[in-house]
Amino acid sequence: MRTILNAIPDKLVRTNREGKILQSHLHPTFFEGADPGLNPVRTIFDLFPHRTQHLVRKALEEAVKNKNLQMVAFNNDQETARTRYYEASFSPVAESDILVTIRDITQRKETELTLHRLLEKEAELNRLKTHFLTTISHEFRTPLSAIQSNIQLLDMYDASWDYEKKKTS
């Protein structure tokens, strides 16, 4: 069973209603920023960085109270080389047990952030393109209108004007 659990990319923790860990295969410092001095880990709250523990507590309470899945998403936000993103789900599995599934969603989050940046760049390029076309249109419209007006005058009065008058128009 341990081999199967270790092969699953998601980390599983079985806890009771109070958050006491009943079964787990996580190292106490699974999350960067979790307190490495906690040995042994006694509660689900000990696994999470301190700043997210209130979210975990609320999700656990809601899962017990409403008997439905609760989700918590967070990042390590520590001073490390790379920010890691996680998603924890709290699922009631028995009368008094909660199964906590912890998934590293860093790759998905980084892809979302990259797509968001690309969409912002595309929107900026579209704005610049529209501004450019508006400016070019305005800059060409005035001289072209003057030329068109003169051509129309020459067409209308071609027969009645002499060469010198046509030249100055």
Side-chain angles (χ1 to χ4, degrees), residues 76-92:
N76 62 348
D77 204 30
Q78 301 296 317
E79 293 190 23
T80 58
R82 181 178 180 204
T83 300
R84 310 275 322 159
Y85 297 90
Y86 300 98
E87 182 177 78
S89 62
F90 296 77
S91 307

Side-chain angles (χ1 to χ4, degrees), residues 7 10 29 37-38 63 81 90 94 107 118 120 123 153 167 169:
D10 295 348
T29 58
L38 298 173
F90 296 77
Q107 186 176 8
L118 289 173
E120 285 177 349
L153 283 173
K167 193 174 164 185
S169 293

Side-chain angles (χ1 to χ4, degrees), residues 14-63:
R14 190 173 62 101
T15 181
N16 68 9
R17 295 169 158 257
E18 291 78 35
K20 181 180 177 191
I21 293 177
L22 305 173
Q23 247 180 335
S24 170
H25 68 288
L26 290 177
H27 187 272
T29 58
F30 173 71
F31 300 117
E32 295 174 40
D35 188 352
L38 298 173
N39 199 1
V41 173
R42 292 187 178 91
T43 68
I44 191 71
F45 314 111
D46 298 335
L47 288 174
F48 292 83
H50 181 71
R51 64 179 183 74
T52 62
Q53 290 178 4
H54 69 285
L55 298 172
V56 173
R57 187 173 306 278
K58 183 177 178 184
L60 181 66
E61 289 170 359
E62 288 293 318

